[in-house]
Amino acid sequence: MHSKDQICHEDYQRTASWLLSHTEHRPKVAIICGSGLGMLADALKCQDSFPYSDIPGFPQSTVQGHAGRLVFGELKGKTCVCMQGRFHMYEGHSLSKTTFPVRVFKLLGVETLVVTNAAGSLADSYQVGDIMIIKDHINVLGLAGLNPLNGPNDDKFGPRFPPMSCVYDKDLRKMAFDLCKSMGVTQFVQEGVYCMVGGPNFETVAEARLLHRLGVDAVGMSTAPEVVVASHCGMRVFGLSLITNKVVKSYDDGEPVNHEAVLEVSKLRSQTLQSLVTELVSQMDINNNTA
Ligand SMILES: O=P(O)(O)O[C@H]1O[C@H](CO)[C@@H](O)[C@H]1O
């Protein structure tokens, strides 16, 4: 490690080598579980799991609802690695630390990243409990110059100036929607734009109104940096937001949100989300090479 915030290629490599020597799984898909969505990992068969505190170079999870475990296993015969707990900048991590696992996954051979999150809705038509397939994002921090790709570019991962105009894979989005149809759940499935803000406070009414006017459908405090880093290194990306609350856009009514309520709603759709992610992964066109 060079300095507190600067991570070099060997740091990612060291963590990847440690993991490769501690599991025989060779994942092609990585899944990041959002707040309260750690049960996505429960569907993995033949699990090898590691607390983050045991993995060299890994940051630690500090947020309730993020267990802090890396789980390897199989979903319908497809080898996956699942983060039960992600890292947020508001926890005090640099953005390069919050996205450290994504580059490690790349070195493990992961080709597709599935990101999930809990988010508040701005879109008037959305209801609490809706699942939003992420079509695109607005990275408020990135627009303001806070980007995990800041600093010397690591050409081994990707180019200095990566495009971001088609990040969320169209085929996977269609596949997910078709799956929702066959599962009979389209009445609570949406497709929309996610916006990442820094947190940890929830939005003021004026901020909520601003985001709404910008065309944001759902807002949260994660995901965009992971997606930027994954896309930079050539991974295919698919994302889901679970709408856990309506963001308050009025001074006169609306229930102030809190993290406990977010975690409660996550439980409500856990089964549907688990089935959707499992089926999606099982239908993905990937070669499964086991070690
Ligand atoms: O984005 P995930 O990790 O799902 O968590 C969301 O839930 C927390 C707020 O309740 C914030 O961290 C927000 O980003």
Side-chain angles (χ1 to χ4, degrees):
M1 201 93 38
H2 290 147
S3 71
K4 186 171 166 287
D5 287 347
Q6 210 179 331
I7 303 171
C8 64
H9 204 85
E10 292 68 36
D11 295 318
Y12 300 109
Q13 195 70 63
R14 196 172 304 118
T15 303
S17 303
W18 187 91
L19 289 168
L20 290 173
S21 66
H22 283 75
T23 179
E24 300 211 327
H25 289 298
R26 296 294 179 261
K28 286 284 194 286
V29 179
I31 301 163
I32 302 182
C33 302
S35 285
L37 300 174
M39 74 296 160
L40 290 173
D42 297 342
L44 296 188
K45 303 278 182 277
C46 311
Q47 292 191 6
D48 275 339
S49 78
F50 307 95
Y52 292 161
S53 53
D54 287 356
I55 307 173
F58 241 63
Q60 304 307 311
S61 283
T62 66
V63 183
Q64 196 197 346
H66 292 259
R69 266 179 0 133
L70 192 62
V71 184
F72 291 78
E74 291 183 9
L75 276 183
K76 295 214 167 168
K78 302 272 169 63
T79 311
C80 302
V81 57
C82 190
M83 283 178 72
Q84 267 187 330
R86 64 148 56 83
F87 310 114
H88 308 83
M89 200 180 83
Y90 64 74
E91 293 173 77
H93 304 297
S94 64
L95 281 175
S96 48
K97 263 289 184 192
T98 67
T99 55
F100 180 82
V102 177
R103 285 185 163 178
V104 170
F105 296 156
K106 176 72 183 177
L107 296 178
L108 297 181
V110 166
E111 293 167 355
T112 305
L113 179 70
V114 175
V115 282
T116 65
N117 59 57
S121 67
L122 278 315
D124 296 316
S125 58
Y126 287 16
Q127 302 300 326
V128 170
D130 281 358
I131 293 171
M132 184 183 87
I133 296 171
I134 305 178
K135 183 178 188 175
D136 200 354
H137 72 225
I138 296 176
N139 181 6
V140 171
L141 272 60
L143 293 176
L146 279 174
N147 195 303
L149 303 178
N150 282 352
N153 185 56
D154 187 339
D155 298 335
K156 293 195 188 92
F157 284 117
R160 172 75 291 185
F161 300 110
M164 288 290 147
S165 50
C166 47
V167 181
Y168 295 87
D169 189 83
K170 210 172 179 174
D171 295 339
L172 290 180
R173 283 191 279 127
K174 177 163 186 329
M175 198 189 282
F177 197 74
D178 290 346
L179 276 168
C180 291
K181 269 192 210 152
S182 60
M183 289 164 65
V185 296
T186 47
Q187 73 277 13
F188 56 79
V189 174
Q190 314 279 355
E191 188 174 63
V193 174
Y194 175 86
C195 176
M196 186 218 182
V197 295
N201 62 280
F202 293 104
E203 296 67 40
T204 65
V205 170
E207 287 165 349
R209 290 177 175 184
L210 172 72
L211 296 176
H212 186 50
R213 291 183 74 143
L214 289 177
V216 171
D217 296 304
V219 59
M221 308 168 195
S222 69
T223 302
E226 297 151 1
V227 167
V228 165
V229 167
S231 179
H232 175 251
C233 66
M235 284 187 198
R236 188 166 63 151
V237 174
F238 175 76
L240 288 175
S241 293
L242 175 63
I243 303 303
T244 52
N245 58 286
K246 287 181 169 226
V247 181
V248 179
K249 299 199 292 267
S250 161
Y251 290 105
D252 300 321
D253 54 40
E255 189 63 27
V257 63
N258 60 69
H259 188 56
E260 288 65 37
V262 166
L263 295 180
E264 257 325 291
V265 177
S266 304
K267 284 189 209 149
L268 188 81
R269 289 280 183 245
S270 59
Q271 204 51 56
T272 310
L273 276 166
Q274 201 185 68
S275 307
L276 178 55
V277 171
T278 303
E279 289 308 315
L280 187 73
V281 171
S282 85
Q283 289 193 11
M284 278 180 192
D285 183 18
I286 42 180
N287 284 325
N288 215 10
N289 309 321
T290 31

